[in-house]
Amino acid sequence: MSKRITETQIISILKEADVGLPAKKLCRKYDITSSTFYKWKSKYSGIEAL
């Protein structure tokens, strides 16, 4: 069973990275791969959560 992370959650994770948390630490915290993190970053950067 795979877990599903919503777009709102993705944006909040990316905001943590913008504040200064290292990507490696965020990947461990949220149990995602670094490639997933960078795909999200390219897709969702600059988007604000509603």
Side-chain angles (χ1 to χ4, degrees):
M1 182 167 83
S2 77
K3 63 181 179 177
R4 193 89 175 132
I5 298 178
T6 66
E7 287 182 344
T8 304
Q9 291 170 321
I10 292 169
I11 293 167
S12 70
I13 291 168
L14 294 175
K15 282 185 180 182
E16 287 184 51
D18 289 342
V19 171
L21 289 174
K24 188 174 183 179
K25 192 172 192 173
L26 289 171
C27 290
R28 262 188 267 124
K29 180 179 177 181
Y30 294 104
D31 194 29
I32 57 172
T33 64
S34 60
S35 64
T36 298
F37 175 81
Y38 289 109
K39 283 179 191 175
W40 287 350
K41 191 170 181 176
S42 69
K43 183 175 181 180
Y44 295 102
S45 64
I47 297 176
E48 291 292 322
L50 297 176

